[in-house]
């Protein structure tokens, strides 16, 4: 499971459209579809019900959505924290331990 796939999943869930999600994320629609299929393969269940006119979350998709949002939020917080630490020079480089 990749963060990129979770971002695509959340965007499709928000838009209820693979086309709009792809446009918002600057991806080809086929890429978004492949990312969602990869997630569905990982979980072994469909995450969206797809018809020609409508996309809706399945029960499994509804259950995944809050977890996906939380994972993405934690990932962003970690990124900001690490960048902030680097900017304030609080990170110290460790010297490799020399083995004798």
């Amino acid at each position: 499971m990749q963060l990129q796939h979770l971002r695509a999943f959340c965007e499709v869930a928000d838009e209820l459209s693979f086309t709009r999600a792809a446009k918002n994320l600057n991806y080809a629609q086929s890429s978004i579809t492949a990312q969602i299929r990869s997630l569905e393969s990982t979980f072994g269940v469909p995450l969206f019900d797809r018809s020609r006119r409508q996309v809706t979350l399945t029960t499994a998709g509804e259950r995944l959505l809050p977890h996906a949002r939380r994972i993405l939020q934690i990932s962003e917080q970690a990124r900001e924290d690490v960048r902030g630490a680097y900017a304030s020079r609080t990170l110290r480089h460790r010297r490799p331990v020399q083995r004798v």
Side-chain angles (χ1 to χ4, degrees):
M1 177 173 21
Q2 297 179 22
L3 292 176
Q4 177 180 332
H5 296 171
L6 293 176
R7 278 189 199 94
F9 168 75
C10 289
E11 195 65 32
V12 173
D14 289 344
E15 293 291 339
L16 295 177
S17 166
F18 283 73
T19 303
R20 286 191 302 270
K23 183 177 180 182
N24 293 348
L25 294 172
N26 295 314
Y27 288 119
Q29 182 177 340
S30 60
S31 176
I32 295 295
T33 300
Q35 291 175 46
I36 298 303
R37 283 193 179 138
S38 177
L39 274 179
E40 290 174 330
S41 177
T42 296
F43 290 109
V45 295
L47 300 171
F48 293 98
D49 284 322
R50 302 159 174 93
S51 71
R52 292 186 91 173
R53 295 180 180 222
Q54 188 175 6
V55 173
T56 58
L57 282 166
T58 62
T59 301
E62 289 174 357
R63 289 186 177 192
L64 175 60
L65 188 57
H67 297 290
R69 290 190 197 286
R70 197 165 348 147
I71 290 166
L72 292 172
Q73 180 183 26
I74 290 168
S75 171
E76 184 57 34
Q77 288 171 341
R79 185 178 298 118
E80 290 173 8
D81 190 35
V82 170
R83 285 182 181 163
Y86 180 77
S88 65
R89 303 287 188 216
T90 59
L91 286 179
R92 293 190 173 94
H93 295 284
R94 297 176 109 188
R95 290 185 177 194
V97 175
Q98 292 182 355
R99 297 185 183 193
V100 181

